[in-house]
Amino acid sequence: MPHAPVLGDLATPVTVIDADTGVGEIEALIRADPETLGLVAVDDGTTYVLDRPYLESVLAGRLGYGRALMFRRPARSILPEPALVLPAATAWDDAARAVLNRPAGAKSLPVVVSFDDGRLGIAPVGPLVEHLSRRYESLAQDDVLTGLGNRRRLAEVAGDVLARDDRPVALLLIDLDRFKEINDELGHSRGDDLLRRVASVLAEAFPDRVYRLGGDEFVVLLDDLADESDEYLEKLARRLLHDIQGPFTVAGVPITVEASAGVARTTPGRRDLGDLLAGADTAMYAAKRHRTAVEVWRPELAAESTTDLRLLAELRTAIDRGELVLYYQPLVDARTGRVESLEALVRWDHPRHGLLTPAAFLAEAERSEMITAMTDRILADAVRQTARWHRDGWRVPVAVNLPAPVLAQDRIVGVIAGLLAEYDLPAGALKVEITESAVMTRPERSADRLRAIRELGVRIAMDDFGTGYTSLALLTRLPLDELKLDRSFVHRIHDPRERAIVEAVAAMARGLRLTLVAEGVEDQQTADILRDAGFDVLQGYHFGRPAPPVETTRRAA
Ligand code: C2E
Ligand code: CA
Ligand code: CA
């Protein structure tokens, strides 16, 4: 079995000098061995790495001493920061994390490697960091629970398949019925068992074509259709539903799995994953509603699903009547527990239905042009309230969620600048949270707009990180200050595999020098794990639920 890569594999043994060695002698040593990456100096028990680029800059006189003078000085006078020393048996993952954990100035210095026999070597950091980032990319494309590809991998594969040629592609969305009840009744770990069983049946029927989107939703992506008729696709979906029916014995109980499926396929000229998913989703809900188990998308289904039109019409007046209110939830410093900022979260104080959370109206609002008026209102409210807190002496920054359709408009920069001026609030007191999907559609345009917002002095957080499609490459190109890891990761952090992902994300975020935030923290144990993994800021019911401004003020007092 090939062993997992360890630091020793990367290291080359080096000459160890003591701190009295003269710089002239060091020069002779590196001249004698043109291959060497550098030297290691030990002074008073502390180890320093003198890598070749550093030595060359010293010898070129760049430290401000003349060359002759320099040559007579001892190594002690040119020692950099103490080196990171790790045993040769350290796994690459661990070594890479340790490297990224160093202070900014020391990040690129080679690592000193101590071998079992007492010799020392040095290892370059480039391959380590690259390894970690590759591992993250691949971990981040697998669904930890089932081993199937996840939404990210689907996006990547579908991107290729849809761009390749114009053969029809079909997408089947399968959603288990009443899975929540099974979960509640049998417990999460048995619910997980069941998901694994379903996953393996699906994967056997369509190897390498099945993805889990999250929860109890599975996708099959088919690009080699023998027949593209509705009848054929429907038959195929029914056969799959039959296969996953079971019964499976979970904890001694035979369970029959009922599920519904929606099917959508590409049409000439329209080959977009978003369209396929939306179409399959509409069809799947129709299948549940009609109790037909399977539906293939057709335009009539879309018209049916707009039953929330009434709510949407009411929302228009709600904005004008001031029925939208903001609740505020604290984000705390992971080490001190002090409130670091607040997030503004909208609620609709509905005259008949009572207090509605965004789940009841936000998706609909985002699909209509009303989202602009709504966000303007929310921003104005949040800035006004924050300015009030500042005037009262509580200088707390407040974060506002910026939905994708709003970030897509140039006007948003002026709106934010105008509000800051109107309420005389320093820009540093405002944060905006954006999601991966908001920047995915036109990354370059969004990056420009975000840059303009950030130039005002407003901070920018990437929300729900891990659930979307953002590659690390994209992340490095966006002007970000914070990364908020999605709560779905946080809730699974007690699973060691999930923890590995969270730790890899944490290491990368530190490499990019982003403030790392975790949301959905519901207990102290989770808070401890996250703090130890290097999270800077925590948010969740454990520290406080969203509350109206008055209560938020009282809690802060
Ligand atoms: P989000 O931005 O991820 O906001 C955090 C959500 O997690 C909030 O739900 C919050 O109440 C909930 N939460 C906080 N702590 C915990 C916890 O410990 N455990 C669990 N399970 N949940 C926790 P909420 O307020 O229902 O908001 C849902 C989503 O709606 C938000 O997710 C955000 O995407 C959107 N949203 C909320 N307010 C606004 C707004 O003013 N404008 C826009 N555009 N979107 C908003
Ligand atoms: Ca948010
Ligand atoms: Ca979030």
Side-chain angles (χ1 to χ4, degrees), residues 343 401 433 435 463-465 484-487 519 539:
E343 178 175 0
N401 292 282
E433 299 194 357
T435 58
D463 202 358
D464 303 340
F465 182 70
K484 294 184 83 169
L485 187 71
D486 188 65
R487 51 187 178 278
E519 59 181 19
Q539 175 181 14

Side-chain angles (χ1 to χ4, degrees), residues 518-545:
E519 59 181 19
V521 181
E522 295 180 357
D523 54 71
Q524 186 60 45
Q525 197 195 353
T526 305
D528 291 340
I529 294 176
L530 290 164
R531 188 201 49 230
D532 293 344
F535 278 76
D536 306 293
V537 175
L538 307 176
Q539 175 181 14
Y541 296 161
H542 180 58
F543 302 102
R545 293 190 176 244

Side-chain angles (χ1 to χ4, degrees), residues 7-71:
L7 195 54
D9 304 341
L10 271 185
T12 26
V14 287
T15 310
V16 181
I17 57 170
D18 94 26
D20 295 320
T21 312
V23 171
E25 204 175 318
I26 292 178
E27 201 257 343
L29 282 169
I30 67 160
R31 198 158 15 90
D33 182 1
E35 300 287 290
T36 187
L37 294 174
L39 300 172
V40 167
V42 178
D43 185 26
D44 219 3
T46 306
T47 306
Y48 301 85
V49 56
L50 299 162
D51 70 331
R52 191 170 200 110
Y54 178 69
L55 283 176
E56 275 163 3
S57 87
V58 169
L59 294 167
R62 273 183 227 128
L63 285 193
Y65 298 102
R67 205 176 141 80
L69 205 58
M70 194 72 239
F71 270 51

Side-chain angles (χ1 to χ4, degrees), residues 325-327 329-330 343-347 356-359 361-362 366 371 374-375 378-379 399-404 406 433 435 463-464 484 486-487 490-491 519-523 539-546:
V325 293
L326 290 183
Y327 274 37
Q329 186 179 31
E343 178 175 0
L345 295 161
V346 69
R347 300 289 179 262
L356 299 177
T357 62
F361 59 91
L362 195 67
E366 284 193 8
I371 190 65
M374 187 174 140
T375 307
I378 290 170
L379 271 167
V400 176
N401 292 282
L402 270 199
V406 171
E433 299 194 357
T435 58
D463 202 358
D464 303 340
K484 294 184 83 169
D486 188 65
R487 51 187 178 278
V490 172
H491 291 165
E519 59 181 19
V521 181
E522 295 180 357
D523 54 71
Q539 175 181 14
Y541 296 161
H542 180 58
F543 302 102
R545 293 190 176 244

Side-chain angles (χ1 to χ4, degrees), residues 459-540:
R459 280 190 287 157
I460 298 176
M462 170 72 82
D463 202 358
D464 303 340
F465 182 70
T467 56
Y469 312 129
T470 322
S471 70
L472 282 166
L474 178 60
L475 215 52
T476 58
R477 281 190 283 134
L478 293 173
L480 297 176
D481 301 282
E482 283 184 14
L483 199 62
K484 294 184 83 169
L485 187 71
D486 188 65
R487 51 187 178 278
S488 57
F489 288 91
V490 172
H491 291 165
R492 289 184 164 275
I493 202 167
H494 298 281
D495 179 329
R497 288 161 304 183
E498 200 78 24
R499 197 142 144 191
I501 299 184
V502 172
E503 285 174 350
V505 173
M508 290 311 302
R510 272 197 303 276
L512 296 170
R513 280 188 235 132
L514 298 172
T515 300
L516 194 57
V517 183
E519 59 181 19
V521 181
E522 295 180 357
D523 54 71
Q524 186 60 45
Q525 197 195 353
T526 305
D528 291 340
I529 294 176
L530 290 164
R531 188 201 49 230
D532 293 344
F535 278 76
D536 306 293
V537 175
L538 307 176
Q539 175 181 14

